[in-house]
Amino acid sequence: MNATTLHEKTRSRGRPREFDTEAALDAALRVFSKRGYHAASISELTEAMGLAAGSVYKAFGDKRGIFLAAFDRYRAVRRGLLDAELASVETGRDKLHALITFFAGSSHGEIGRQGCLVVGSAGDLALFDEEAAERVATAFMTDEVLLADLIRLGQADGSIPSDVEVSATSLALLCLTKGMRVIGKTGRSGEEMAATAEAAMKLVT
């Protein structure tokens, strides 16, 4: 073997395996959402991600690293979808309705049974991992602030009554929307969740 061939083989071995990180994380979050953090095994994750264990460890470190990266990916994708829904309507009330309907739509059928990675993490991992707990708390706070902002927007444009108490109502809606994702794992129908969304809007009537 000449020096050039040896150099090329050495360089090839040292080069990290290229893969679609977002697709791999999407596959991992499906495993975590279905199985939970503790029940999900590395073998399940690597198989779902379509990667060799060595590539997974090199890219993410360990199962916890995979989870945290998948959590961030999940939040980014969901927020992008939600922002698109909110941009399609004008008034604060309509935006609030779009947000609640967005959660209701994720709380039935196959996606409903898959569950919410944020809600699942609150009980499955956050109690034992400070960094995960911070991510969950930030996710909940971000959603609560958004709810409050939409109520205030509705009050400013006249679509939501001015006597609606912003802090208590936004927290109540946070609890309701996250609760939808829990109930959605039990196989409720789309009609039931849509009716729940309409009932939730009575809090801002």
Side-chain angles (χ1 to χ4, degrees):
M1 181 182 297
N2 60 41
T4 300
T5 302
L6 178 60
H7 173 71
E8 288 176 349
K9 288 195 172 185
T10 302
R11 185 177 59 181
S12 178
R13 286 199 300 269
R15 184 180 300 138
R17 177 177 178 177
E18 295 181 359
F19 58 89
D20 186 332
T21 302
E22 292 182 349
L25 290 175
D26 288 342
L29 72 86
R30 286 192 291 272
V31 175
F32 283 127
S33 294
K34 181 179 180 180
R35 299 275 290 153
Y37 176 80
H38 295 292
S41 68
I42 281 291
S43 61
E44 287 177 300
L45 290 165
T46 54
E47 181 178 357
M49 297 166 81
L51 300 174
S55 296
V56 171
Y57 285 122
K58 181 175 288 187
F60 304 107
D62 54 17
K63 185 172 80 167
R64 178 177 176 276
I66 301 171
F67 175 83
L68 294 176
F71 186 99
D72 293 342
R73 166 73 177 160
Y74 177 82
R75 285 288 296 167
V77 170
R78 291 283 296 176
R79 185 55 189 261
L81 294 172
L82 177 57
D83 285 347
E85 294 293 327
L86 298 182
S88 68
V89 291
E90 295 294 329
T91 69
R93 182 181 182 83
D94 286 344
K95 289 180 184 293
L96 188 64
H97 184 264
L99 183 151
I100 297 171
T101 300
F102 176 79
F103 278 93
S106 303
S107 301
H108 64 89
E110 182 178 352
I111 189 172
R113 286 188 291 273
Q114 181 175 320
C116 172
L117 192 64
V118 177
V119 173
S121 302
D124 195 34
L125 182 61
L127 296 178
F128 310 101
D129 188 291
E130 184 176 350
E131 189 172 357
E134 289 177 358
R135 275 174 161 78
V136 171
T138 297
F140 285 165
M141 181 58 68
T142 299
D143 288 352
E144 185 177 355
V145 168
L146 176 58
L147 286 162
D149 287 345
L150 295 181
I151 294 172
R152 292 190 185 97
L153 177 61
Q155 291 176 328
D157 64 29
S159 60
I160 293 176
S162 58
D163 61 351
V164 171
E165 208 290 310
V166 176
S167 296
T169 304
S170 60
L171 179 56
L173 290 172
L174 177 72
C175 295
L176 192 149
T177 52
K178 300 310 178 188
M180 283 180 174
R181 301 305 308 276
V182 176
I183 296 298
K185 291 180 71 68
T186 67
R188 307 306 286 260
S189 70
E191 291 77 12
E192 287 176 307
M193 302 317 296
T196 301
E198 296 306 315
M201 290 301 295
K202 293 181 180 179
L203 291 174
V204 293
T205 299

